[in-house]
Amino acid sequence: MALQCGIVGLPNVGKSTLFNCLSNAKAQSANFPFCTIEPNVGVITVPDERLTKLAELVHPQRIVPTTVEIVDIAGLVKGASKGEGLGNKFLANIRETDAILHVLRCFDDDNIVHVDGRINPVRDKEIIDAELQIKDLETIDSRLSKVQKQAQTGGDKQAKLAYDVLMRFKAALEQGQSARTVTFDTKDEQKTARELFLLTNKPVMYICNVDEASAANGNAYVEAVREAVKEEDAGILVVAAKTESEIAELDTYEERQLFLQEAGLEESGVNRLVKAAYKLLDLETFLTAGPQEVRAWTYLHGSKAPRCASVIHTDFEKGFIRAEVIKYADYIKYGSEAAVKEAGKMSVEGKDYTVQDGDIMHFRFNV
């Protein structure tokens, strides 16, 4: 399931440093704009403590976590929508992603230049929002020119629907609001809105890149961002990218945990970011557990059992008969599949079953 989160932001906010912490792929990280020209793609393991706990009970030959793809996109600048700073290429890279991780610089450091001279994460956010909104307005106007006449003079209901959706987006964008602030009531409207693939309609999470002293509790810059985005359907994550890069260089798990404790953190920012990216993409995990492997499988939230079966193999969906489901908490409580069955805690589900995050699945099929 090749869904991707794109890391965006102005130059020198810490995007590539963060990407390097996330991935074995080493994006160039330097103190000047545009050091990342082609988007770097990292396939990142999603931390899941449930796999470890299941493995302690099952003793499999291997543990296989799930992954998420992160794309490091070069720094945008003011005027990107008009081609400034290779902007058109970068905007095209954003369009190809499914969600946006927007990195904002929330730290002071005289040794790292800021393209606009001083630190102001809210202004930085507004600069990129404006560039993406301008590009979306171009998309809206182009589509309107094609459907407006049909919608106003003909009997084409689909054209009328598309026109209404486009006009609502246009009104919001012209007021400096992102497309994601517009809500639609009907499924047809929602489908039409999604099919426009607007840049500012993508799910977004704001990553506040802070100094080490602010890693646990944030700072005034972070609070300013929280206030600025409170009306948006968006999350905020506080990460100290420089600190994370230092943690990544430590050799052992014990050393890394000690570093985190000294910084007042329960979990690394990298782990929290990967989990947040996974959730941002509307992804969840079902599990399989056996002597060969304990494994996590990725599926879209709300998927039915046959669709999830196809994640393992397409034949599983074609010949789906039923799914045997054990809740993760029950497996941990009773200690084995046999004990769960004996306690009557394994359910047998059909094609209409909506898989829940953490379900331990066994699919029965016949091809």
Side-chain angles (χ1 to χ4, degrees), residues 4-60:
Q4 296 180 334
C5 276
I7 299 181
V8 306
L10 292 179
N12 293 344
V13 298
K15 300 184 313 302
S16 294
T17 300
L18 199 57
F19 180 82
N20 289 342
C21 296
L22 289 165
S23 172
N24 289 329
K26 295 298 180 184
Q28 182 186 2
S29 183
N31 185 22
F32 56 89
F34 315 126
C35 62
T36 308
I37 302 302
E38 295 300 328
N40 294 271
V41 181
V43 181
I44 318 297
T45 296
V46 179
D48 194 332
E49 297 79 5
R50 295 173 299 191
L51 291 174
T52 304
K53 292 187 178 297
L54 281 175
E56 290 172 356
L57 298 174
V58 178
H59 306 294

Side-chain angles (χ1 to χ4, degrees), residues 252-270:
T252 67
Y253 173 80
E254 288 74 18
E255 287 178 311
R256 291 192 289 272
Q257 288 303 110
L258 182 61
F259 192 114
L260 288 171
Q261 289 174 11
E262 292 176 351
L265 301 171
E266 295 182 4
E267 186 178 24
S268 75
V270 165

